[in-house]
Structure formats: structure tokens, C-alpha cells
């Protein structure tokens, strides 16, 4: 699969929210031959390098850990907070998701 998340982003309705797009991507991973690995890679890249809209979608995605470990994701969120401070509330929600799902690690 190639750029499924980007294709959905480019063809979204004008009123589509970050969470509605993330929800659609969550459904699509179960239909992909690679079990969503390529979508997860795209979303991780959006956290690392995406603009505000792309990063907001990646932050809203809650179907899987997008990085190799919760610690790696936390470090990526730290970098995102510096790069796009306007996403601070969404980043804090994602940090809560990490704590809630991976607190034992």
C-alpha cells in the first residue's frame, strides 16, 4: 500500500475533522494486506514532519502505537510540541492515551 492516509487526506470533505479521518484510517488498517503497517508509518511521519492538519490527524488516531515503543512515541511528541505548539492540547490527550494504554512499561 502506498500513501493511503495521504490519499484520504487529499480527498476529504471540507468539513471533515481530524478525528473523523483518524477513525476512517482505523477502519482501513483492518482491510489492508499489511495490517496497517504502511498507514501507521505515514501517521508516524506526520507526527515527525507533518503540518498542523496532518499532525492533528495522527494525534487523533488511537488504534495502535505508531512508534516502536511508548518511549519513542513520547520523544516524538516532545519534538512535535516544540515544532507545533498550537497542538499542545491534542498532544496532551495523546500523552494520556499513552499512559492509559502503556502505563506498565
Amino acid at each position: 500500500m502506498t500513501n493511503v492516509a495521504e490519499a484520504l487526506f487529499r480527498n476529504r470533505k471540507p468539513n471533515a475533522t481530524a478525528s473523523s479521518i483518524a477513525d476512517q484510517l482505523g477502519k482501513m488498517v483492518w482491510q489492508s494486506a499489511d495490517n496497517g503497517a504502511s498507514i501507521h508509518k505515514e501517521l508516524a511521519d506526520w507526527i515527525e514532519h507533518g503540518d498542523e492538519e496532518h499532525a492533528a490527524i495522527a494525534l487523533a488516531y488511537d488504534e495502535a502505537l505508531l512508534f516502536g515503543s511508548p518511549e519513542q512515541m513520547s520523544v516524538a511528541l516532545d519534538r512535535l510540541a516544540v515544532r507545533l505548539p498550537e497542538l499542545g492540547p491534542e498532544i496532551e490527550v495523546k500523552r494520556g492515551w499513552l499512559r492509559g494504554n502503556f502505563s506498565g512499561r
Side-chain angles (χ1 to χ4, degrees), residues 5-6 17-18 20 35 54 59 67 69 72 78 81 98 103:
E6 185 62 30
T17 64
S20 68
N35 291 321
H54 284 87
L59 291 170
F67 293 83
S69 71
Q72 288 174 332
D78 291 343
L98 277 173
S103 62

Side-chain angles (χ1 to χ4, degrees), residues 8-47:
L8 182 60
F9 177 81
R10 287 186 183 170
N11 292 295
R12 72 195 183 283
K13 290 184 176 183
N15 62 342
T17 64
S19 61
S20 68
I21 295 169
D23 183 55
Q24 289 302 309
L25 290 169
K27 293 173 182 172
M28 293 172 79
V29 300
W30 296 105
Q31 305 302 316
S32 64
D34 68 355
N35 291 321
S38 59
I39 292 172
H40 293 161
K41 184 178 182 320
E42 277 186 271
L43 294 175
D45 187 59
W46 289 2
I47 287 175

Side-chain angles (χ1 to χ4, degrees), residues 74-75 77-78 81 90-100:
S74 182
V75 169
L77 293 175
D78 291 343
E90 292 87 347
I91 292 168
E92 288 310 308
V93 168
K94 183 54 77 176
R95 288 186 193 286
W97 178 85
L98 277 173
R99 285 189 300 273

